[in-house]
Amino acid sequence: MRFRARKTFRLGPLFFTFTQRGFSSWGIRIGRFTRNFTRGSTSIDTPGPGGLHSTGRRKRKRRDTAG
């Protein structure tokens, strides 16, 4: 397992993540709602264990080539 250095800087509700190679991602966190604009993911922290997570990627519709 490789060690990966990561540092997060916060500026109010905005956060910026940097790794050894430089800039990695950015997003916004307001209360229990978090949105990462680089990955397109959204998460909501629910009371207790667990939470709601969305990767932000939509499934592609399959086109029927027949008919």
Side-chain angles (χ1 to χ4, degrees):
M1 178 191 256
R2 291 176 46 181
F3 173 76
R4 295 183 186 210
R6 185 182 310 163
K7 182 70 177 171
T8 301
F9 293 99
R10 297 187 184 202
L11 184 62
L14 296 174
F15 64 86
F16 303 92
T17 305
F18 294 87
T19 62
Q20 295 166 330
R21 294 183 177 183
F23 177 75
S24 176
S25 68
W26 74 281
I28 188 167
R29 180 175 180 116
I30 301 173
R32 296 177 178 227
F33 174 80
T34 304
R35 171 75 177 168
N36 187 310
F37 290 101
T38 306
R39 290 183 306 207
S41 64
T42 303
S43 63
I44 300 172
D45 185 24
T46 58
L52 301 172
H53 303 281
S54 171
T55 59
R57 296 186 181 213
R58 296 182 181 171
K59 293 181 181 179
R60 293 182 68 175
K61 281 189 175 182
R62 225 174 127 184
R63 290 186 171 175
D64 272 340
T65 56

